[in-house]
């Protein structure tokens, strides 16, 4: 199986006619994702690549049965788009947009807290369940169907890890980029239990980085025995200077907190296999699985 | 984005947060004039984007306008070295001249995002005037927190709780509540990512004031705060980083000898880490973004090559939607425009990586082509040693 999205996912694309939205919608359709609707206010009745466009997400749900959405809306309006998707009742909303003001995200997070919709992102590559569906911007070709789950705060570093897995014949159930912002809809701790419950997932790769305490929280979950499947981790930013934002808005060592060293120590203490080098993620998973 | 203390105080004052009387001086004459207007008994504070100024001699008391003038003369243009500036220090270009305050009590108040809860948190402590990180590590029970519910914002009852937690009495409580509520409004309305008052002081005449003030802004929200954006002081930033920001490149200068050009922030950090594992030191962090066109690569190279310690460069691109052969073409085009004197190691992986390698090998330029991530780091470090 896979988690969050699969062959039954009916996707609405918010911002389908924009540069990014249109480009990646073509790639998603090419991969086999069931893109059932586009949402662009004021463009109801138009079509993109044969996909009908609606003014609101609610219409996309009502007329096309959309049960997931992906947001390519520009940063100033993206948090609003996320809340719209949640109100329309989709199960999952994936927000690709980078650069959303923190204040907007605090409000959107609070809005979603009271609803059943799960948010992935923002500032993320999205989710792919290889062989089934792709909701995001990742290169499909490096993925392969299999039994490893991947959760990551990064984009291209995730591709690097997935590529290593695939080359070793280790396919993936689902790969999720949770995003590089200080506030993201889902953290490692929200997703690890889903992989734990998924019968097809045999091991999980967790890719963290400096800033915040998502890795420490994940370590605690593993330590508490709530994740029994093998977890292999890499934490980027051992050489990052304190007080500097390393590209991602959330990747910053603030007040001496959020260092890679602390995170690695917490993960190791919980029994997670932490890779020293980003080049050995694949082979560490292979060893963990006895392959 | 960071701003100076005097700018933070200007913003706070606008929102009704009590701050000592004072203003900024860029010249000795201005300093004397302000000191004179304030009655002569003033504090002269060097304005740089770093803490610990008092320890470095950047905060001095004067008892007359003349004395203030003398202090200003010495301070303007000096290299101020504090625990936060590093050994090279920072040049003092302006001063805050403010009234001297008779302090009864030094406290702490700050607002910041709590990433675990995804809410802002208001923190106060009776331990003012020392680093709050130190208090948090040694006596965490002395920090009292109130989380801010996004639906309703910071409420008066929360301000009361915090004021009482600071052991204040009578009129001090009222003044403190007003102060905390105004501080929250300033934080919220200006899309700040940090508002820190350390110390927050109670004066002998019963006032509650921000003796020092630090505010940072959410970079992602600057588009709706042109007044805050105008406060950016480029002279406080590393020149090569300012240059990089003009081209929308994410560049951070470091102290090593192996330069790196990478697409994506996570992979860029991982590349720095693997250079270190291979026995080298990264010269920079550089994320050229998902596109990695000829233009971004050549701009990146220009900035990188200005680094005096640079001995080799590692280009590490994972081609996804962007095809590697296009990136390779970009690299070749860029290097015909920019003269590069150090060895370049290239590692391209992902979509069309094979065509990309061929393109690099057939070009008249000299590249060291790496086969994988580890190999690339080792070759780049070896090249730096040989250079």
């Amino acid at each position: 199986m896979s988690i969050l999205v699969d062959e039954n996912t009916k996707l609405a694309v918010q911002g389908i006619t924009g540069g990014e939205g249109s480009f990646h919608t073509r790639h998603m359709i090419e991969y086999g994702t069931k893109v059932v609707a586009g949402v662009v206010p004021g463009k109801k009745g138009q079509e993109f690549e044969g996909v009908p466009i609606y003014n609101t997400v609610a219409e996309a749900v009502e007329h096309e049965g959309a049960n997931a959405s992906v947001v390519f809306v520009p940063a100033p309006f993206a948090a609003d788009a996320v809340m719209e998707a949640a109100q329309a009742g989709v199960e999952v909303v994936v927000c690709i947009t980078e650069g959303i003001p923190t204040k907007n995200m605090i409000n959107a997070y609070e809005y979603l807290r009271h609803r059943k919709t799960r948010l992935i992102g923002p500032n993320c590559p999205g989710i792919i369940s290889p062989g089934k569906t792709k909701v995001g911007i990742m290169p499909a070709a490096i993925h392969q169907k299999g039994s490893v789950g991947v959760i990551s705060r990064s984009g291209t570093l995730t591709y690097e890890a997935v590529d290593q897995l695939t080359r070793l014949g280790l396919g993936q159930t689902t790969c999720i980029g949770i995003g590089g912002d200080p506030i993201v809809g889902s953290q490692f701790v929200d997703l690890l239990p889903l992989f734990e419950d998924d019968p097809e997932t045999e091991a999980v790769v967790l890719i963290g980085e400096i800033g915040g305490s998502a890795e420490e929280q994940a370590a605690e979950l593993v330590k508490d025995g709530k994740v029994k499947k093998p977890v292999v981790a890499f934490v980027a930013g051992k050489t990052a200077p304190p007080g500097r934002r390393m590209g991602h808005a959330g990747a910053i060592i603030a007040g001496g907190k959020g260092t890679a060293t602390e995170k690695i120590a917490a993960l190791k203490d919980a029994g997670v296999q932490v890779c020293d080098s980003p080049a050995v993620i694949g082979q560490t998973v292979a060893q963990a699985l006895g392959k | 984005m960071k701003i100076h203390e005097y700018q933070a105080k200007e913003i706070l004052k606008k929102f009704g947060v009590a701050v000592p009387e004072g203003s900024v001086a860029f010249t000795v004459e201005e300093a004397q004039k302000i000191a004179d207007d304030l009655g002569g008994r003033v504090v002269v504070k060097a304005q740089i984007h770093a803490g610990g100024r008092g320890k470095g001699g950047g905060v001095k008391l004067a008892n007359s306008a003349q004395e203030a003038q003398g202090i200003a003369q010495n301070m303007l243009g000096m290299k101020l070295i504090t625990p936060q500036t590093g050994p090279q220090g920072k040049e003092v270009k302006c001063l805050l001249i403010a009234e001297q305050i008779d302090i009864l009590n030094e406290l702490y108040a700050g607002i910041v995002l709590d990433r675990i809860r995804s809410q802002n948190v208001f923190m106060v402590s009776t331990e003012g005037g020392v680093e709050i990180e130190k208090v948090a590590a040694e006596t965490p029970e002395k920090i009292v927190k109130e989380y801010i519910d996004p639906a309703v914002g910071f409420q008066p009852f929360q301000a009361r709780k915090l004021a009482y937690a600071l052991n204040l009495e009578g009129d001090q409580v009222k003044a403190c509540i007003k102060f905390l509520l105004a501080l929250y409004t300033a934080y919220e309305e200006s899309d700040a990512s940090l508002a820190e008052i350390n110390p927050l002081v109670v004066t002998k005449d019963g006032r509650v004031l921000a003796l020092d003030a630090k505010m940072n802004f959410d970079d992602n929200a600057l588009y709706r705060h042109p007044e805050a954006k105008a406060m950016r002081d480029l002279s406080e930033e590393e020149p090569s980083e300012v240059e990089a920001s003009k081209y929308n490149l994410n560049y951070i200068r470091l102290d090593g000898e192996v330069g790196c050009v990478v697409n994506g922030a996570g992979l860029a950090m991982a590349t720095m880490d693997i250079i270190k594992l291979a026995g080298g030191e990264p010269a920079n962090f550089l994320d050229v973004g998902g596109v990695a066109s000829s233009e971004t690569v050549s701009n990146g190279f220009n900035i990188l090559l200005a680094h005096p310690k640079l001995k080799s460069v590692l280009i590490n691109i994972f081609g996804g939607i962007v095809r590697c052969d296009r990136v390779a073409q970009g690299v070749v085009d860029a290097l015909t425009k920019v003269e590069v004197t150090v060895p370049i190691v290239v590692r391209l992986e992902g979509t069309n990586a094979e065509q990309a390698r061929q393109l690099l090998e057939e070009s008249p330029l000299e590249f060291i082509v790496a086969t994988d991530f580890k190999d690339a780091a080792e070759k780049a470090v070896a090249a730096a040693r040989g250079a």
Side-chain angles (χ1 to χ4, degrees):
Chain A
M1 275 167 64
S2 44
I3 67 168
L4 300 175
V5 294
D6 58 24
E7 62 276 22
N8 299 315
T9 297
K10 291 170 143 186
L11 187 68
V13 180
Q14 294 174 256
I16 197 168
T17 51
E20 294 279 304
S22 56
F23 179 82
H24 292 290
T25 298
R26 284 196 189 98
H27 281 279
M28 287 190 283
I29 293 172
E30 195 180 298
Y31 191 69
T33 303
K34 289 172 186 142
V35 179
V36 298
V39 177
V40 183
K43 292 196 176 169
K44 185 178 181 177
Q46 297 182 22
E47 280 190 359
F48 174 82
E49 300 281 326
V51 175
I53 299 177
Y54 294 91
N55 284 334
T56 65
V57 182
E59 288 169 335
V61 171
E62 188 191 344
H63 298 294
E64 307 296 338
N67 56 13
S69 92
V70 60
V71 175
F72 288 102
V73 170
F77 319 107
D80 180 61
V82 165
M83 291 189 279
E84 183 188 351
Q87 197 219 38
V90 299
E91 290 159 31
V92 182
V93 52
V94 175
C95 185
I96 306 297
T97 309
E98 178 176 2
I100 303 176
T102 302
K103 187 155 87 177
N104 300 21
M105 272 317 297
I106 290 176
N107 291 334
Y109 188 91
E110 180 62 19
Y111 190 84
L112 264 73
R113 200 198 295 270
H114 305 288
R115 287 168 175 80
K116 62 167 189 171
T117 303
R118 179 183 293 283
L119 169 65
I120 300 293
N123 190 11
C124 78
I127 319 172
I128 184 168
S129 292
K132 295 173 181 170
T133 193
K134 163 179 140 155
V135 180
I137 62 172
M138 64 290 281
I142 56 169
H143 297 81
Q144 182 185 308
K145 200 174 171 196
S147 61
V148 181
V150 179
I151 321 174
S152 171
R153 284 172 66 187
S154 171
T156 45
L157 181 56
T158 318
Y159 309 160
E160 171 72 43
V162 168
D163 187 56
Q164 288 177 24
L165 290 170
T166 299
R167 278 167 192 271
L168 293 168
L170 299 164
Q172 305 90 40
T173 45
T174 301
C175 304
I176 309 156
I178 59 172
D181 275 1
I183 296 181
V184 292
S186 302
Q187 291 282 13
F188 295 128
V189 286
D190 301 312
L191 301 172
L192 279 167
L194 304 185
F195 278 126
E196 179 70 13
D197 291 343
D198 172 38
E200 266 181 31
T201 301
E202 291 173 19
V204 183
V205 173
L206 187 154
I207 299 173
E209 63 189 29
I210 56 161
S213 49
E215 294 77 8
E216 286 88 337
Q217 288 178 284
E220 216 164 294
L221 197 74
V222 175
K223 207 175 177 181
D224 288 348
K226 300 205 173 99
V227 184
K228 295 193 176 65
K229 291 177 182 174
V231 179
V232 170
F234 174 75
V235 181
K238 252 197 226 176
T239 50
R244 303 301 310 268
R245 229 168 264 288
M246 307 302 283
H248 293 151
I252 180 167
I253 300 167
K257 284 280 170 197
T259 64
T261 314
E262 279 176 312
K263 292 171 185 297
I264 291 166
L267 288 164
K268 279 188 175 164
D269 181 54
V272 172
Q273 301 185 55
V274 184
C275 307
D276 283 332
S277 161
V280 300
I281 299 169
Q283 68 194 66
T284 310
V285 176
Q287 281 157 12
L289 290 173
K291 287 181 182 169
Chain B
M1 190 194 82
K2 293 178 181 177
I3 56 171
H4 289 295
E5 176 196 2
Y6 81 89
Q7 295 167 319
K9 283 181 171 169
E10 280 170 8
I11 293 172
L12 293 175
K13 201 172 166 185
K14 208 175 81 189
F15 285 98
V17 180
V19 298
E21 288 298 317
S23 27
V24 64
F26 291 89
T27 64
V28 176
E29 293 71 35
E30 284 173 2
Q32 188 189 6
K33 167 89 174 55
I34 297 161
D36 204 26
D37 291 348
L38 291 171
R41 211 172 147 258
V42 294
V43 55
V44 180
K45 302 177 86 176
Q47 300 294 292
I48 56 166
H49 285 185
R53 291 169 295 168
K55 286 171 196 150
V59 180
K60 294 231 154 94
L61 297 175
N63 286 313
S64 68
Q66 215 165 6
E67 206 179 321
Q69 186 210 19
I71 294 168
Q73 190 111 46
N74 289 334
M75 236 183 238
L76 280 171
M78 80 183 254
K79 286 268 181 197
L80 181 57
I81 300 167
T82 84
Q84 290 182 22
T85 58
Q88 74 285 357
K90 281 195 166 184
E91 189 184 338
V92 179
K93 295 200 182 75
C94 58
L95 307 169
L96 173 62
I97 316 292
E99 59 167 325
Q100 277 188 35
I101 301 295
D102 292 318
I103 299 165
L104 186 68
N105 209 353
E106 290 193 44
L107 311 165
Y108 172 92
I111 313 174
V112 70
L113 174 70
D114 181 289
R115 290 173 61 166
I116 294 179
R117 292 210 187 198
S118 300
Q119 290 181 345
N120 288 310
V121 60
F122 210 133
M123 293 182 287
V124 300
S125 176
T126 50
E127 306 301 292
V130 290
E131 269 182 56
I132 197 67
E133 287 83 16
K134 199 165 174 250
V135 181
E138 289 167 9
T139 48
E141 72 282 0
K142 289 190 173 162
I143 296 177
V144 180
K145 295 178 181 178
E146 280 291 323
Y147 291 93
I148 300 169
D149 185 330
V152 294
F154 185 62
Q155 294 295 301
F157 79 87
Q158 295 182 293
R160 285 200 296 277
K161 280 174 79 179
L162 294 177
Y164 287 119
L166 288 170
N167 300 327
L168 300 179
E169 287 167 2
D171 286 347
Q172 293 174 356
V173 176
K174 273 190 206 160
C176 183
I177 290 169
K178 187 169 171 256
F179 184 98
L180 299 179
L181 287 167
L183 182 61
Y184 167 71
T185 309
Y187 176 89
E188 187 68 16
E189 296 288 306
S190 50
D191 268 297
S193 57
L194 171 79
E196 188 174 68
I197 310 301
N198 192 15
L200 165 73
V201 297
V202 180
T203 66
K204 287 186 181 155
D205 54 1
R207 292 184 289 164
V208 174
L209 290 176
L211 197 66
D212 198 353
K214 187 175 169 186
M215 278 184 98
N216 294 347
F217 296 103
D218 176 6
D219 292 338
N220 289 344
L222 283 176
Y223 71 87
R224 57 189 177 203
H225 296 284
E227 75 296 343
K229 208 171 174 178
M231 289 183 170
R232 183 173 172 193
D233 183 353
L234 293 176
S235 71
E236 285 282 336
E237 299 173 30
E238 160 66 35
S240 55
E241 291 176 14
V242 174
E243 181 72 13
S245 71
K246 285 184 201 158
Y247 304 111
N248 283 322
L249 293 172
N250 254 313
Y251 172 81
I252 291 171
R253 184 168 171 162
L254 302 168
D255 205 33
E257 67 289 340
V258 182
C260 30
V261 179
V262 190
N263 66 331
L267 190 60
M269 270 189 279
T271 304
M272 286 161 47
D273 293 347
I274 203 170
I275 287 170
K276 176 100 178 171
L277 274 175
E281 288 288 343
N284 66 285
F285 166 90
L286 174 61
D287 169 13
V288 294
V291 183
S293 66
S294 148
E295 205 189 340
T296 53
V297 174
S298 60
N299 288 333
F301 259 104
N302 277 324
I303 288 155
L304 224 64
L305 291 169
H307 197 299
K309 288 192 184 170
L310 193 77
K311 295 214 174 94
S312 70
V313 174
L314 168 54
I315 301 175
N316 185 20
I317 304 287
F318 200 101
I321 302 297
V322 187
R323 289 166 14 221
C324 283
D325 52 339
R326 276 179 60 185
V327 176
Q329 191 59 55
V331 171
V332 172
D333 290 348
L335 294 185
T336 47
K337 283 182 267 180
V338 183
E339 200 196 335
V340 183
T341 48
V342 296
I344 297 173
V345 178
V346 189
R347 184 257 178 163
L348 296 164
E349 202 50 79
T351 319
N352 290 5
E354 201 46 55
Q355 291 94 312
R357 271 190 283 272
Q358 215 170 344
L359 211 149
L360 291 179
E361 272 158 13
E362 284 166 6
S363 92
L365 298 155
E366 273 193 42
F367 295 104
I368 302 167
V369 180
T371 51
D372 63 31
F373 201 175
K374 182 167 177 259
D375 181 51
E378 284 167 356
K379 281 183 172 148
V381 171
R385 290 216 177 107

